[in-house]
Amino acid sequence: MSNLTKSILFASVLVLLTTACKYFFGPQIALSGFSPVLAIALFSGFVIRKKEWLFFFSLTSLLLSDLAIELLYQNGLFDYAGVYGGQWKNYLLLLSTTFIGYLFQARSVKNIFVGAFAGTTLFFLLSNGLVWLYSSEAIYSKDAAGLFTCYVAGLPFYKNSLMSTLVFLPGVLFLYNYISDRKSAILVA
């Protein structure tokens, strides 16, 4: 199997996994945020060394899963839109998570776990900070107390994001290594 075919197969599995998680977990508030998106972003930073491919898997899985959810929404098969205003902020935050993975690299299991914690925490802090700063509703006051309240309200999403990253990241690494015939390696040379 050629490298291009392997990459397409791997990307397809990631898109399907991301879409399935959004479909099944997204509408349930207790499971919202349980998604492989951050794990895929970290994986990309950990493993991909060619800079022109660094963001390919994370952006492809997020974009195509968002479009699939939007298609379901447009046909009355899903409760909320997959494409919405301000979505570009999530994409930028995803890129920052990939950069965290790039900084830590997957040279050891310790680096993988520290990177997973750092990437998920950075995403939580930045995304909730943006919600507080740019929310058009008067949900959170624009002071330290409002910011604190916003972070507290986001803790269930943070918990789900961290748990899903710790669940999906080893699986994504294993799948990549298996598809790329590096069955015994943790990382790509």
Side-chain angles (χ1 to χ4, degrees):
M1 189 181 311
S2 74
N3 285 338
L4 179 60
T5 304
K6 290 177 184 180
S7 293
I8 290 170
L9 175 64
F10 182 65
S12 299
V13 170
L14 295 180
V15 169
L16 290 172
L17 180 63
T18 303
T19 304
C21 286
K22 287 180 181 183
Y23 183 81
F24 291 110
F25 302 140
Q28 300 180 43
I29 196 71
L31 294 174
S32 189
F34 195 85
S35 164
V37 171
L38 294 178
I40 295 166
L42 286 164
F43 154 81
S44 296
F46 284 153
V47 174
I48 308 301
R49 292 293 136 226
K50 293 183 180 182
K51 291 181 182 173
E52 61 273 13
W53 287 96
L54 187 60
F55 303 107
F56 175 76
F57 292 114
S58 53
L59 289 176
T60 299
S61 63
L62 185 59
L63 177 64
L64 293 179
S65 65
D66 283 344
L67 292 174
I69 293 296
E70 180 66 23
L71 184 64
L72 292 170
Y73 173 74
Q74 292 293 328
N75 288 295
L77 300 171
F78 199 69
D79 294 337
Y80 58 84
V83 178
Y84 50 89
Q87 190 168 15
W88 62 271
K89 295 171 196 167
N90 286 332
Y91 284 76
L92 284 178
L93 293 176
L94 184 70
L95 299 181
S96 70
T97 306
T98 302
F99 184 68
I100 293 292
Y102 187 80
L103 290 176
F104 281 92
Q105 300 184 0
R107 298 191 195 274
S108 69
V109 173
K110 177 185 172 190
N111 274 16
I112 291 170
F113 282 107
V114 171
F117 181 76
T120 305
T121 302
L122 178 67
F123 187 88
F124 166 75
L125 292 173
L126 293 176
S127 63
N128 280 300
L130 289 172
V131 166
W132 169 76
L133 188 61
Y134 292 111
S135 179
S136 59
E137 301 89 26
I139 297 173
Y140 305 111
S141 58
K142 300 300 183 210
D143 56 13
L147 179 60
F148 180 76
T149 302
C150 183
Y151 282 129
V152 169
L155 286 176
F157 302 103
Y158 175 65
K159 179 191 77 153
N160 289 342
S161 293
L162 184 58
M163 285 182 7
S164 64
T165 299
L166 294 174
V167 166
F168 287 116
L169 185 56
V172 170
L173 286 165
F174 174 79
L175 178 64
Y176 179 79
N177 288 328
Y178 186 80
I179 288 175
S180 64
D181 296 325
R182 300 174 200 273
K183 293 176 180 69
S184 63
I186 290 178
L187 60 134
V188 175

